[in-house]
Amino acid sequence: MTAMDYSPAAWAETEGPCLRGFDEPGEIASINGALALRPQIEHMVDQLWDQGFDRIFFMGIGGTYASAMQAEVYMRGRSALDTYAGNAAEYLTTGCRRLTDRSVVIYSSVSGNTKEIVSMVEKVKSQGARVVAFVDTPGSLLAQPGKWDHLVQYPKNEQLKFYMVANYLMYKNGEFPEYEAYNQEMEAGLAQGLANIEKISDRWAWSYAKAKAAFLKDHPDLPHYFIGGGNQWGATYSYAMCYWEEQMWIRTKSISCPEFFHGMQEIITADTPVTLFMGEDEQRPLAERVARFLPKVCGNYTVIDTKELPMAGISPQFRGSISHLMMHAVNNRVDAYLEHFLRHPLSIRRYYRQFDY
């Protein structure tokens, strides 16, 4: 049975975890295929570097904006390069005086025709900025000549692709001397490591999803609260909005770890459903503070800590840069079982792209 099989027989699977919808060879090939883009990405960045630029803008909307935030926070404490994360819709209305004809705009699009991204590209191109496009769908509108200065076409893995750009930019700027050692480890072990995380978290994810589905049935109007910091904040924001809200129609609220203590803290009670995403980058202490607080007031919280997950062959100093990918591997298993327990195919939408708005 695969995740796309919605027949009655498929829903009647044997009770218990079963690695539902998991395609290990496909997952490994997908990650390794993205990592194999490194020569193309390096050549692209070399050209941008030789031409010179003033600022780098990672732009997006929805989930791709979350990926932009992850890339920006990753570079913020490591690099002196002037780097920003921008929301495409906000840019179209507010503009940005810091974006010039010497700037580089980097974005990703799965469909290749997202309305806000198409308009954003037209506007930044009219200003003379150079555009780096990661487009999943060949032949789509955003993949057409004239819409980009550099085009990379490969499906999925947008956070990984953004980080590959960021890593090489920092290497070029003399800020990542471990670049070659880092990539050797990733290319040797990342794909299998993430697949292993899906396998070892499968039983836990089944139990978590079953409990969440039961709680939702009894409390349909109570939102689930997600908390995260650092590169986990983009993951938290995206997971709550793009997965639980858009794909599963579950009410959520997401908040960053530092902001949790300035508002949301006061509405957490014994029964409030809360999940904390805990990573291994520089902002881990902010998540640890939340983790210390939650048991004092809440009896319905979950902490998912990537530090508890194995990644064979990846050095400790590099784990923080991939902890959002490790969290995504765990959440893949949760999604597979929430889809089953809710009897709600993740592919259907009420409104998104269903009509003009």
Side-chain angles (χ1 to χ4, degrees):
M1 184 189 67
T2 70
M4 297 304 294
D5 184 356
Y6 302 123
S7 65
W11 292 119
E13 65 186 19
T14 301
E15 180 76 359
C18 61
L19 282 170
R20 183 177 193 273
F22 180 54
D23 175 13
E24 183 173 6
E27 295 289 341
I28 291 173
S30 178
I31 296 293
N32 282 333
L35 291 168
L37 296 171
R38 182 156 71 102
Q40 181 181 350
I41 288 172
E42 291 177 343
H43 178 68
M44 175 181 72
V45 172
D46 284 338
Q47 290 182 298
L48 294 170
W49 196 267
D50 291 343
Q51 294 163 357
F53 53 84
D54 57 4
R55 297 172 189 88
I56 302 156
F57 291 83
F58 289 94
M59 296 279 249
I61 191 76
T64 58
Y65 175 53
S67 297
M69 291 193 293
Q70 289 173 310
E72 187 277 331
V73 75
Y74 176 57
M75 294 185 69
R76 189 191 309 165
R78 292 174 171 83
S79 180
L81 293 171
D82 210 359
T83 307
Y84 297 86
N87 182 290
E90 290 185 358
Y91 169 70
L92 291 171
T93 55
T94 307
C96 180
R97 292 288 296 274
R98 291 187 292 270
L99 199 156
T100 74
D101 59 1
R102 298 191 63 246
S103 299
V104 174
V105 174
I106 304 170
Y107 78 88
S108 178
S109 176
V110 175
S111 67
N113 61 18
T114 305
K115 184 181 297 186
E116 296 92 339
I117 299 296
V118 171
S119 297
M120 179 273 292
V121 168
E122 292 172 352
K123 184 172 180 177
V124 299
K125 290 288 287 181
S126 72
Q127 293 183 227
R130 282 157 291 167
V131 173
V132 174
F134 289 94
V135 180
D136 289 19
T137 306
S140 59
L141 179 59
L142 287 169
Q144 300 304 312
K147 300 290 186 183
W148 43 266
D149 296 278
H150 300 275
L151 173 66
V152 178
Q153 295 190 90
Y154 186 81
K156 303 180 180 180
N157 305 292
E158 78 185 28
Q159 294 112 332
L160 178 56
K161 292 181 286 191
F162 276 7
Y163 270 49
M164 291 171 72
V165 174
N167 285 332
Y168 194 56
L169 281 167
M170 291 189 291
Y171 172 73
K172 296 283 288 186
N173 208 41
E175 297 162 331
F176 197 176
E178 308 88 356
Y179 179 76
E180 290 298 336
Y182 177 92
N183 282 294
Q184 287 175 7
E185 290 190 11
M186 296 301 157
E187 289 162 11
L190 180 62
Q192 186 62 62
L194 293 176
N196 288 342
I197 287 175
E198 292 211 35
K199 290 189 287 187
I200 66 173
S201 63
D202 188 64
R203 181 173 297 277
W204 174 87
W206 179 87
S207 299
Y208 176 87
K210 185 176 184 180
K212 292 303 173 187
F215 188 87
L216 178 66
K217 183 178 179 180
D218 293 334
H219 307 84
D221 296 322
L222 180 62
H224 190 99
Y225 293 88
F226 287 96
I227 311 167
N231 60 17
Q232 294 295 349
W233 167 233
T236 304
Y237 172 77
S238 175
Y239 190 61
M241 176 180 63
C242 297
Y243 290 83
W244 280 42
E245 289 183 342
E246 180 182 315
Q247 296 184 22
M248 301 180 211
W249 307 346
I250 302 173
R251 292 174 174 83
T252 70
K253 166 70 183 294
S254 58
I255 191 74
S256 68
C257 290
E259 290 300 297
F260 169 80
F261 291 101
H262 299 274
M264 185 188 289
Q265 174 188 27
E266 288 297 328
I267 56 85
I268 302 298
T269 64
D271 296 328
T272 307
V274 179
T275 298
L276 170 64
F277 289 173
M278 227 171 150
E280 300 170 61
D281 66 359
E282 298 83 354
Q283 292 192 27
R284 179 178 175 85
L286 302 178
E288 290 175 333
R289 185 185 180 201
V290 178
R292 289 192 298 269
F293 172 80
L294 286 174
K296 299 177 181 179
V297 299
C298 184
N300 191 20
Y301 72 92
T302 301
V303 177
I304 306 176
D305 186 354
T306 65
K307 202 168 186 177
E308 298 175 357
L309 300 170
M311 280 296 291
I314 305 299
S315 299
Q317 67 265 33
F318 298 148
R319 285 176 58 104
S321 71
I322 58 167
S323 60
H324 58 305
L325 303 180
M326 298 162 70
M327 190 68 68
H328 181 65
V330 175
N331 288 333
N332 281 344
R333 297 289 82 229
V334 172
D335 298 343
Y337 292 119
L338 273 175
E339 180 183 55
H340 171 68
F341 289 123
L342 297 176
R343 300 302 195 265
H344 179 90
L346 302 184
S347 59
I348 64 173
R349 304 289 183 272
R350 283 192 183 109
Y351 313 123
Y352 183 63
R353 292 179 179 255
Q354 302 305 304
F355 50 85
D356 290 332
Y357 47 85

